[in-house]
């Protein structure tokens, strides 16, 4: 086959094979687990259902022009949240744009396809990198690329956090950038790759950059370059990363400042897992949420474990890659390095998010083992012994289930069988190619052969170009005593052709002109080893003492038979190795998919419930004249993005601190330690935030703990003020921030409304036995309420209070879990459901109408010990509320327009006091009255405020995400630097072309044949 045809083809073939294997195993696992889209079980667990699917749905709306808001502000969530930080966190991956080609009601399928594509691309990128590092079999590179893409971290953690998968793709690409920096080429492309990686997901890109940096340092050490050249290469890599991150700065800085203004949540502390749990995650079909998922497949693991014992590989290669793998593994368990991996902040949730870097290094180590030829039986035996030791220690872990052992045994047997078959094929290839024998484990001379045969790198064992014809004769003679061994004796497609250079130099591209190019021309190293045919006609010279006229007679038939045997052995090896890897990867993924449903919250995919809610919201929508809230009975943590509307509900890692604290002060509930704020079904807050329509849905029947209720979806409407209202001026020294709120949510609501509408009565709380319960300890004033010891207790705890007749009764008990209902109400009482724990607080809920007597008794059914705070009951006078609303409408804005990050309101003439926009005063808002200069917006108890002096007839507020100007300046400077460097390079090349330097004549390259 022509070399021009072979050039680059194996890398593409390896990448395609890796992608195909990845997709096959990923989808097969979901089919086995009967998971969406191949079965009835949902895959929308935890943040996948709560965040990623809703954010992709919002992106779909944005791309189709159907969203409320734009790139700057998301008016659908959190009563108006900054969207650009969320875009940079969840949606900036180029893959996310694929949602545009899917129907809106197939958003779950769109996210699934994006997840599969990202995983497949990670495998393809790794396969390409492996063949860039060292020549070898293209199918082996594809197999190991798929092993990386299907690593435990990808299957167990990143598959339901699809934004992390961008880091899985980025790591091999950033390693390629390091290789280009070593060569001093493709500088512009390297900068663009770094920028794209950091834009796609800066969090995992940061980890991938650290991993690629370690990778590059080892490559520099192995290269044996002079210090000056090594420092120059390191400098090029550093400059490439700096410029790439600079280009990504407009998005990265916005996300960074978004985290600074986000609700802090919980401060986590790192605790390393036990050694047996760490080692258990190397094995197939193990699962644990808080442990590092290190599974890379038994074949890759055995090859990585065999590297220290593989005598055909140079000592520096064996030591370097083995020590790097060990060092990174230890860094997972040490707190200072753990913090360094996670940008010096222990994350909430999984504490081992950098695990994919170690998985990549294991795969690269495995590739180095195989590229020097299949390890000898002794080396494989040593690797198997280490694997047995790992399994023995892991057997004490609770993460290893009974079904893991047969999978491990079958995959180990398949890996060893495939490798031994491949070794036999190598031996047959070596014999057929000229008699080179495969080095034994104890030989060790192949690794240093290159040092004495004209290869000056001393790092590969490859044989130099001169004297190949005579060398082939000598090797044939040496075969009789089975003592000849060369580092390139990897034989059939071994990947180390004659004349290839050191491990560092063989990582250069084919167009570089290095000696390695002969062995890398096809990219897969399928050129023959020491026994490669050097004769121009492709025929070996006759051995000494043999008549050239008769030499070779009868050989064609024997050669064809030997070739068929080699192909058969190699083909069988491929089938066994691929089958073993696909089987264990699919089993591991299926187990993780099933066990996640037992450990994490799960949510239903798009269905009839969401379809009915979306229809109801669409029919009632009147934005921006009023908001339409999709309802208190939520399906996921971001219902407004999924079904439409403009509500309080919002869940993001960047939920603003002011939003969470404001809604909490008003009686709102949240989960995820304050970052998942919920809708608040309350007439006063609906008036404050201009919620004129509210959807009421039955509890989500997908959740097992919800009561069985299949009632219809309904919509309630109420008269509310406009989005912009005018309030009386406050005293200059008065506190108007969130800190001005008091302990009672009822009084806090009145502060925002501007009118007294609640009666907060004294309470009498009694246990089921009629006794007075104990007071709650700590800083939560209230009464302890304990769950009854018997499920069918005759009497339950109660709350007694005296409310005005016919007033609406609300209960605020943020740290109570259970149900509450009025025992004597003129209308059908409502059952309030409260859920709270260490990461959740319950929202205030309406229970019904007080009777004519005004005596209210609330019966509690606690599910765990909780607290009923002092002032838990509020009695709303609806007549006063209607009067307050009429007053706000009379003085409020006559017209309001909203477009992305701009709010404009036309006010009645002579308006004085403070114009208040019913949106949280998050950082970035600037406002102006009439044509005055814009200045940072004031705050009115957490909302946007603009002072009025009586002369203004309009107000305009615009939003600029914090950090955007700084990021734009850094990005512009990086772009300018890149342009200048490109210009200087072009000028230098033009001058060089005008005055070419004289180069010494080079020896013509000899033809390298290609084995199958």
């Amino acid at each position: 086959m022509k070399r021009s045809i072979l050039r680059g083809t194996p890398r593409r073939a390896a990448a395609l094979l890796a992608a195909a294997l990845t997709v096959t195993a990923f989808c097969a696992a979901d089919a086995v687990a009967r998971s969406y889209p191949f079965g009835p079980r949902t895959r929308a667990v935890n943040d996948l259902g709560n965040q990623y699917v809703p954010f992709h749905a919002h992106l779909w709306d944005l791309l189709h022009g159907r969203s409320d808001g734009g790139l700057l502000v998301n008016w659908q969530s959190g009563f108006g949240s900054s969207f650009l930080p969320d875009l940079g966190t969840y949606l900036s991956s180029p893959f996310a744009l694929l949602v545009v080609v899917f129907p809106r009601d197939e958003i779950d399928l769109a996210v699934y396809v994006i997840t599969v594509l990202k995983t497949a691309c990670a495998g393809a990128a790794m396969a390409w990198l492996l063949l860039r590092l060292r020549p070898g079999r293209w199918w082996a590179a594809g197999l190991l690329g798929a092993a990386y893409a299907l690593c435990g971290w990808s299957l167990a953690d990143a598959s339901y956090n699809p934004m992390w998968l961008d880091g899985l793709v980025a790591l091999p690409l950033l390693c390629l950038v390091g290789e280009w920096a070593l060569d001093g080429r493709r500088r512009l492309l390297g900068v663009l790759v770094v920028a794209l990686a950091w834009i796609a997901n800066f969090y995992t890109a940061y980890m991938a950059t650290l991993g690629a940096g370690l990778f590059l340092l080892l490559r520099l050490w192995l290269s044996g370059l002079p210090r000056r050249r090594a420092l120059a290469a390191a400098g090029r890599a550093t400059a490439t990363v700096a410029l790439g991150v600079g280009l990504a700065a407009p998005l990265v800085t916005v996300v960074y400042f978004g985290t600074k203004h986000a609700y802090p949540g919980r401060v986590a502390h790192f605790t390393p897992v036990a050694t047996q749990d760490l080692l258990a995650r190397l094995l197939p079909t193990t699962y644990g949420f808080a442990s590092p998922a290190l599974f890379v497949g038994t074949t890759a693991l055995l090859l990585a474990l065999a590297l220290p014992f593989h005598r055909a590989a140079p000592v520096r290669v064996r030591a370097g890659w083995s020590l790097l793998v060990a060092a990174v593994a230890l860094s997972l368990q040490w707190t200072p390095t753990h913090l360094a991996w996670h940008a010096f902040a222990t994350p909430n949730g999984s504490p081992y998010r950098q695990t994919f870097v170690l998985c990549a290094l294991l795969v690269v180590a495995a590739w180095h083992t195989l590229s020097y030829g299949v390890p000898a039986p002794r080396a494989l035996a040593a690797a198997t012994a280490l694997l047995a030791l790992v399994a023995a220690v892991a057997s004490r872990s609770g993460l290893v289930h009974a079904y893991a052992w047969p999978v491990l045994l079958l995959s180990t047997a398949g890996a060893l069988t495939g490798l031994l078959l491949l070794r036999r094929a190598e031996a047959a290839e070596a014999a057929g190619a000229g008699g080179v024998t495969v080095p034994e484990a104890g030989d060790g001379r192949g690794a240093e052969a290159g040092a004495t045969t004209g290869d000056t790198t001393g790092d590969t064992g490859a044989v130099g170009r001169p004297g190949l014809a005579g060398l082939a004769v000598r090797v044939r003679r040496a075969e009789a005593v089975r003592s000849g061994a060369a580092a390139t004796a990897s034989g059939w497609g071994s990947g180390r052709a004659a004349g290839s250079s050191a491990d560092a130099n063989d990582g250069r591209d084919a167009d570089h002109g290095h000696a390695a190019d002969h062995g890398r021309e096809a990219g897969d190293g399928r050129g023959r080893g020491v026994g490669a045919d050097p004769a121009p006609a492709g025929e070996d010279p006759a051995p000494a003492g043999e008549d050239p006229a008769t030499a070779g007679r009868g050989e064609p038939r024997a050669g064809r038979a030997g070739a068929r045997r080699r192909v058969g052995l190699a083909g069988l090896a491929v089938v066994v190795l691929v089958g073993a890897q696909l089987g264990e990867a699919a089993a591991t993924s299926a187990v993780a998919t099933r066990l996640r449903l037992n450990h994490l919250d799960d949510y239903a995919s798009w269905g009839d419930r969401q379809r009915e809610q979306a229809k109801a919201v669409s029919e009632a929508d009147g934005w921006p004249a009023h908001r339409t809230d999709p309802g208190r009975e939520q399906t996921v943590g971001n219902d407004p993005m999924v079904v439409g509307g403009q509500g309080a509900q919002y869940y993001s890692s960047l939920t603003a601190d002011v939003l969470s604290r404001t809604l909490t002060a008003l009686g709102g509930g949240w989960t995820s330690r304050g970052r998942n704020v919920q809708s608040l079904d309350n007439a006063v807050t609906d008036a404050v935030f201009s919620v004129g329509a509210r959807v009421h849905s039955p509890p989500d029947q997908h959740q097992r703990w919800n009561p069985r209720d299949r009632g219809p979806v309904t919509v309630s409407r109420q008269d509310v003020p406009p989005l912009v209202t005018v309030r009386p001026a406050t005293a200059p020294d008065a506190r108007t921030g969130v800190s001005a709120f008091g302990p009672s949510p009822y009084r806090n609501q009145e502060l925002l409304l501007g009118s007294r509408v609640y009666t907060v009565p004294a309470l009498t709380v009694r246990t089921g036995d009629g006794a007075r319960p104990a007071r709650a300890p700590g800083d939560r004033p209230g009464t302890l309420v304990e769950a009854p010891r018997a499920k069918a207790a005759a009497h339950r705890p109660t709350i007694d209070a005296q409310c005005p007749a016919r007033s609406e009764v609300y209960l605020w008990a943020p740290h109570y879990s259970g149900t509450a209902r009025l025992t004597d109400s003129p209308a059908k009482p409502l059952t309030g459901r409260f859920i709270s724990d260490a990461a959740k607080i319950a929202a205030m809920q309406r229970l019904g109408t007080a009777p004519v007597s005004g005596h209210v008794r609330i019966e509690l059914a606690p599910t765990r010990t909780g607290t009923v705070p002092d002032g838990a009951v509020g009695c709303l006078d609806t007549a006063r509320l209607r009067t307050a609303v009429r007053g706000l409408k009379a003085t409020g804005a006559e017209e309001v327009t909203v477009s992305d990050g701009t709010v404009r309101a036309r006010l009645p003439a002579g308006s004085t006091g403070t114009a208040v926009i019913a949106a949280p005063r998050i950082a970035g808002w600037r406002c102006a009255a009439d044509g005055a200069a814009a200045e940072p917006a004031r705050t009115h108890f957490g909302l946007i405020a603009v002072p009025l002096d009586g002369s203004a007839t309009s107000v305009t507020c615009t939003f600029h995400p914090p950090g955007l100007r700084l990021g734009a300046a850094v990005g512009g400077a990086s772009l300018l630097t890149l342009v200048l460097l490109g210009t200087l390079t072009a000028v230098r090349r033009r001058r060089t072309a005008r005055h070419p330097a004289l180069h010494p004549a080079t020896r013509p390259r000899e033809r390298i044949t290609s084995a199958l």
Side-chain angles (χ1 to χ4, degrees), residues 34-197:
R34 302 186 67 203
S35 175
Y36 179 90
F38 302 102
R41 293 189 176 92
T42 180
R43 68 182 303 270
V45 300
N46 208 25
D47 289 347
L48 178 61
N50 266 330
Q51 290 181 304
Y52 304 119
V53 170
F55 274 111
H56 281 80
H58 185 71
L59 178 63
W60 191 99
D61 291 336
L62 188 65
L63 294 174
H64 286 84
R66 292 172 46 179
S67 67
D68 295 325
L71 291 176
L72 299 181
V73 178
N74 169 17
W75 288 105
Q76 294 183 260
S77 303
F79 290 139
S81 59
S82 179
F83 181 64
L84 200 56
D86 285 331
L87 179 72
T89 302
Y90 302 101
L91 300 170
S92 53
S93 171
F95 292 93
L97 297 174
L98 293 175
V99 298
V100 74
V101 302
F102 288 84
R104 180 61 165 77
D105 58 358
E106 294 290 352
I107 194 66
D108 295 273
L109 180 62
V111 174
Y112 181 82
V113 171
I114 289 171
T115 302
V116 174
L117 285 178
K118 285 185 180 182
T119 311
C121 288
M126 177 56 75
W128 193 281
L129 171 67
L130 295 180
L131 286 174
R132 178 66 171 77
L133 292 177
R134 280 188 54 79
R137 301 172 180 83
W138 67 269
W139 60 264
L143 189 68
L144 290 177
Y148 168 70
L150 297 169
C151 67
W153 179 87
S154 171
L155 299 176
D157 297 331
S159 62
Y160 68 94
N161 292 282
M163 70 177 185
W164 293 356
L165 288 172
D166 292 291
L168 193 73
V169 180
L171 179 55
L173 295 180
L174 292 176
C175 290
L176 278 173
V177 172
E179 291 294 299
W180 299 336
L182 278 173
D183 294 344
R185 55 198 296 270
R186 293 183 177 174
R187 298 179 185 180
L188 174 60
L189 181 58
V191 171
L192 295 179
V193 168
V194 173
L196 184 61

Side-chain angles (χ1 to χ4, degrees), residues 94-409:
F95 292 93
L97 297 174
L98 293 175
V99 298
V100 74
V101 302
F102 288 84
R104 180 61 165 77
D105 58 358
E106 294 290 352
I107 194 66
D108 295 273
L109 180 62
V111 174
Y112 181 82
V113 171
I114 289 171
T115 302
V116 174
L117 285 178
K118 285 185 180 182
T119 311
C121 288
M126 177 56 75
W128 193 281
L129 171 67
L130 295 180
L131 286 174
R132 178 66 171 77
L133 292 177
R134 280 188 54 79
R137 301 172 180 83
W138 67 269
W139 60 264
L143 189 68
L144 290 177
Y148 168 70
L150 297 169
C151 67
W153 179 87
S154 171
L155 299 176
D157 297 331
S159 62
Y160 68 94
N161 292 282
M163 70 177 185
W164 293 356
L165 288 172
D166 292 291
L168 193 73
V169 180
L171 179 55
L173 295 180
L174 292 176
C175 290
L176 278 173
V177 172
E179 291 294 299
W180 299 336
L182 278 173
D183 294 344
R185 55 198 296 270
R186 293 183 177 174
R187 298 179 185 180
L188 174 60
L189 181 58
V191 171
L192 295 179
V193 168
V194 173
L196 184 61
W198 278 73
I199 288 172
N201 184 250
F202 83 99
Y203 186 55
T204 50
Y206 164 79
M207 301 175 190
T209 303
L210 291 183
L214 296 174
F215 173 93
L216 178 61
L217 289 176
L218 178 57
R219 291 285 288 168
L220 286 172
W221 180 70
L222 291 176
S223 69
L225 291 173
R227 179 177 298 179
R228 185 173 179 180
R229 291 179 59 190
L231 290 176
R236 287 193 296 269
T238 303
T240 299
V241 172
L243 289 174
V245 175
L247 290 179
L251 198 60
V252 173
T253 55
V254 167
V255 177
Y256 172 77
F257 281 97
T259 62
K260 293 300 180 182
H261 294 290
Y263 188 76
R266 179 176 66 99
V267 178
H269 299 281
F270 175 67
T271 302
V273 297
T275 302
Q276 58 266 29
D277 291 341
L278 179 74
L279 296 179
R281 298 309 304 276
L282 286 166
L283 307 181
T285 67
T286 57
Y287 176 80
F289 177 76
S291 57
L294 297 171
F295 167 78
V296 290
T298 306
T299 301
L301 182 59
L302 279 173
L303 288 171
L305 293 175
L307 181 58
F309 311 102
H310 192 21
R311 296 293 186 89
V315 174
R316 286 165 66 90
V317 172
R318 287 185 275 158
W321 289 105
S322 299
L323 290 176
L324 181 59
V325 169
V328 173
L330 292 175
S331 74
L332 268 62
Q333 296 288 85
W334 190 35
T335 300
T337 49
H338 159 83
L339 291 173
W341 280 113
H342 293 91
F344 303 97
T346 297
N348 291 318
S350 172
Y352 290 97
R353 301 180 182 184
Q354 79 280 37
T355 303
F356 71 99
V357 176
L358 181 54
C359 293
L361 294 178
L362 284 170
V363 169
V364 172
W367 174 251
H368 277 81
T369 302
L370 193 59
S371 68
Y372 284 100
V374 178
R378 293 182 185 178
L380 288 177
T384 305
L386 286 178
L387 179 60
L389 179 62
V390 168
V393 176
S395 64
R396 297 180 294 170
S397 170
L399 304 179
V400 181
H401 300 280
Y403 48 75
W405 300 117
V407 175
L408 176 62
L409 291 175

Side-chain angles (χ1 to χ4, degrees), residues 539-571:
E539 298 177 359
D540 291 335
E546 185 174 345
D547 184 1
T550 60
R553 289 184 180 177
E555 286 186 353
R557 180 176 300 176
R560 286 194 296 270
R564 285 194 296 270
R565 182 171 180 272
R566 293 193 299 271
V567 171
L569 287 172

Side-chain angles (χ1 to χ4, degrees), residues 601-625:
D601 295 337
D602 60 274
Y603 306 91
S605 303
W606 179 279
D608 292 338
R609 175 182 174 85
Q610 293 90 334
R611 193 173 294 108
E612 293 176 7
Q613 289 175 328
K615 180 181 178 181
V617 168
S618 177
E619 292 174 350
D621 193 17
W623 175 257

